Amino acid sequence: MKNFSIEAHTVGKLMLLIGLIVLFPLIVLTAYPEEMRYASCFLIPAFLSIASASILILFKKHRAPAYLSRRDSAGYSGLIVLFTWGWGVVIGAAPFFISGQLSAVQSVFEAVSGFTTTGLSVMDVSKTPAIFLFHRSFMQYCGGLGFIMMMIFFAANRHSTILYRAEGHPDKIEATIRKTAASIVAIYLASLAAGTILYRLAGMSFFDGINHAMCSLSTGGFSTKLDSIGAFHSLPVEFITIALMLIGTTNFAALLLLARGNIRSFFKISEVRFLILLLAVAIPVVAFSLSSELGMGLSEGFRRASVDLISALSTTGYSTMSYSHWPDLAVAMLLLLMLIGGGIGSTAGGMKLERIYLLFRFVKTTIRRKLNTRNHMFADTYVRAQGDVSIDEALREDTTSFIALYLSVFTLGSLLLVASSGASLTEAMFEFASSLGTVGLSMGVTSPSASNLTLFIEIAGMLLGRLELFIVMIGLSFGWKQIRRRLRR
């Protein structure tokens, strides 16, 4: 790639954006003037981020070499993404710490959980001021889009395409990256407005409605209530939540087809069909399990299974009840769906529906080849929003490698949680699957009393899950190589 440079003003624009994100919750003070004493908790980190950004934008000194290989350009992009998310976490955590709401480690945990759209929390929301509840939700809403996506919407530059892909967005759904970002933001904002209005009509207050709409769409799962979405005991609220979670977990390119009325093409997408199949199998299984084991009616079992399983698969993290008494089969289904996750190019986490679908296709093709005595080669394709895609060897390698690495990290993280928290293996697996998949469902391991080591393990899982493993590895590896080069000089 020619003339690719890491310009300070690119990083500066991202830092400026983060400062504005932390400044935005001050709007809540118009409705809650009694919380004005917390204004400085947001003004200080916002000013620090905006001032630092201004310096970087004005002084463009650091440039990469005039010519970079594709690998080096990916490395530089990975570094920008990692720095931006790291800076966002620090600035986003500052209001919690400055106000004394949380300790330093807990503040970082809450910010990571917010921006990665996880939803695990160490806050007692029943005692948390409204401005901090909104701050958590707004972090999730912005984290669902991603910092790079938002920057491109306001100011695209020649690095935009590379940075867009480095943050984990695979699809360019319009002619240019700027138009792609504009289409995605338009869908996101329209869904937020519709969700907030529907929640209000369903009986929520405006404040609860906008918070839950932001967190449902971003598949984040922060709630203003201790009992999450179950606190409202409302069937309309649950229906609205299911709709918003499904929007959030669907690939933006697929949503654009739906928005344009191309319903037939939408339901031809392999990932969409796989999502429907998974839910069609999982919901009845869990509903019958809850009905038989917990003694609830079948209709109640279907209601709770639908909300909680869609919450798990979409990696949102809303729940209707505690899982401490759930049957093992139902917990296992939740765990499985958390590991699978939502759509590629959506706000959801996990291994992603497309990869798991492709894995089944790989197995099917392998079996066909083994059983075919003439050893024929079978042409294989699957359907994305952009049309048919060939399944080649590179795709097989990338998909299987990612799944193997993801499951390895999941295994290691679960064992570390057992050692750090004293939780059972089942509880640790559930909790780390929730962290790595950016889900937010919990069996009680994550709490205000959790040790700092437990929180750090979950922080690592959340960041790896949101930024995707290969992107983090590329960025860290490239950064280490650059440090070694400079030390040698």
Side-chain angles (χ1 to χ4, degrees):
M1 297 187 59
K2 297 180 179 179
N3 300 320
F4 181 91
S5 62
I6 293 183
E7 297 179 4
H9 74 270
T10 300
V11 177
K13 286 177 182 177
L14 290 162
M15 294 170 67
L16 176 63
L17 178 64
I18 291 166
L20 294 175
I21 289 172
V22 175
L23 202 60
F24 191 77
L26 293 177
I27 195 173
V28 173
L29 297 179
T30 58
Y32 297 89
E34 67 276 10
E35 296 182 8
M36 188 64 70
R37 65 185 183 276
Y38 297 118
S40 61
C41 302
F42 293 85
L43 289 170
I44 292 171
F47 174 78
L48 172 63
S49 191
I50 293 171
S52 302
S54 301
I55 294 171
L56 287 177
I57 291 171
L58 290 173
F59 298 96
K60 301 176 286 185
K61 291 183 178 180
H62 181 59
R63 290 182 177 273
Y67 179 86
L68 287 176
S69 67
R70 186 175 297 275
R71 179 175 297 178
D72 282 351
S73 68
Y76 273 116
S77 301
L79 277 179
I80 291 179
V81 170
L82 291 180
F83 173 80
T84 302
W85 279 81
W87 183 262
V89 166
V90 171
I91 298 301
F96 299 119
F97 180 68
I98 294 172
S99 65
Q101 297 286 320
L102 298 171
S103 69
V105 175
Q106 289 176 329
S107 298
V108 170
F109 180 90
E110 204 73 14
V112 171
S113 185
F115 278 129
T116 60
T117 71
T118 302
L120 289 170
S121 180
V122 291
M123 296 194 79
D124 182 352
V125 296
S126 65
K127 301 177 182 177
T128 303
I131 190 170
F132 292 99
L133 293 176
F134 184 87
H135 177 49
R136 297 159 79 236
S137 301
F138 192 62
M139 281 194 296
Q140 288 202 330
Y141 188 68
C142 294
L145 278 176
F147 298 124
I148 306 297
M149 176 78 77
M150 289 188 288
M151 186 200 76
I152 292 171
F153 174 71
F154 291 108
N157 59 33
R158 64 183 179 275
H159 309 321
S160 296
T161 301
I162 302 166
L163 292 171
Y164 175 83
R165 296 187 185 280
E167 198 180 36
H169 305 290
D171 298 309
K172 190 173 83 169
I173 59 180
E174 298 284 9
T176 66
I177 287 296
R178 179 72 178 272
K179 288 183 178 179
T180 293
S183 295
I184 290 173
V185 171
I187 293 172
Y188 212 50
L189 289 174
S191 300
L192 174 64
T196 303
I197 292 169
L198 289 172
Y199 273 137
R200 187 73 186 90
L201 293 174
M204 277 192 184
S205 67
F206 177 76
F207 182 77
D208 285 339
I210 194 169
N211 275 272
H212 283 87
M214 286 193 289
C215 296
S216 298
L217 275 173
S218 64
T219 63
F222 275 151
S223 178
T224 55
K225 305 295 182 182
L226 273 177
D227 294 329
S228 189
I229 209 74
F232 296 96
H233 304 290
S234 168
L235 190 59
V237 165
E238 291 170 11
F239 274 128
I240 296 164
T241 303
I242 286 174
L244 293 176
M245 290 190 296
L246 289 174
I247 291 171
T249 199
T250 303
N251 185 312
F252 281 118
L255 286 176
L256 191 60
L257 286 177
L258 203 58
R260 290 172 174 170
N262 202 339
I263 298 174
R264 182 175 296 179
S265 295
F266 175 80
F267 283 105
K268 284 183 180 179
I269 298 172
S270 301
E271 190 177 59
V272 172
R273 291 187 172 191
F274 187 54
L275 181 148
I276 295 171
L277 176 63
L278 276 176
L279 293 177
V281 172
I283 289 175
V285 169
V286 172
F288 281 110
S289 176
L290 293 177
S291 179
S292 61
E293 297 290 332
L294 300 184
M296 63 176 62
L298 191 57
S299 60
E300 179 73 6
F302 268 95
R303 176 180 172 179
R304 294 190 181 276
S306 297
V307 177
D308 289 50
L309 289 180
I310 291 173
S311 178
L313 184 63
S314 66
T315 71
T316 304
Y318 282 139
S319 59
T320 59
M321 60 187 295
S322 170
Y323 301 127
S324 57
H325 301 297
W326 268 40
D328 289 341
L329 176 60
V331 172
M333 292 298 292
L334 276 176
L335 178 60
L336 179 62
L337 294 185
M338 286 195 295
L339 287 171
I340 293 173
I344 282 183
S346 71
T347 65
M351 288 184 283
K352 304 295 173 60
L353 286 161
E354 184 176 288
R355 291 193 181 102
I356 303 302
Y357 169 79
L358 285 172
L359 185 63
F360 281 114
R361 291 290 299 272
F362 299 160
V363 172
K364 176 184 173 182
T365 301
T366 300
I367 292 173
R368 288 177 68 191
R369 287 176 178 169
K370 294 288 186 183
L371 295 179
N372 192 292
T373 55
R374 296 181 181 180
N375 199 28
H376 286 313
M377 295 297 292
F378 296 96
D380 224 352
T381 61
Y382 72 108
V383 183
R384 298 195 73 186
Q386 294 82 0
D388 290 356
V389 178
S390 297
I391 299 176
D392 55 20
E393 196 57 39
L395 181 61
R396 291 175 188 273
E397 183 180 323
D398 286 347
T399 302
T400 53
S401 297
F402 182 91
I403 292 173
L405 182 60
Y406 191 97
L407 293 177
S408 298
V409 172
F410 165 66
T411 302
L412 177 61
S414 299
L415 294 175
L416 288 174
L417 273 187
V418 170
S420 68
S421 65
S424 68
L425 181 58
T426 300
E427 292 171 336
M429 290 173 66
F430 190 95
E431 213 78 8
F432 196 73
S434 186
S435 301
L436 188 59
T438 68
V439 182
L441 295 176
S442 175
M443 294 191 78
V445 176
T446 306
S447 67
S449 61
S451 69
N452 287 343
L453 180 56
T454 295
L455 297 182
F456 275 125
I457 293 168
E458 293 186 358
I459 285 171
M462 290 187 287
L463 289 172
L464 286 171
R466 174 58 180 85
L467 295 178
E468 298 238 330
L469 301 173
F470 288 146
I471 294 169
V472 174
M473 290 173 63
I474 289 170
L476 292 177
S477 174
F478 186 79
W480 175 244
K481 287 178 182 177
Q482 295 305 303
I483 292 172
R484 290 177 63 187
R485 286 178 187 173
R486 291 183 178 275
L487 290 176
R488 285 173 184 172
R489 293 175 185 174

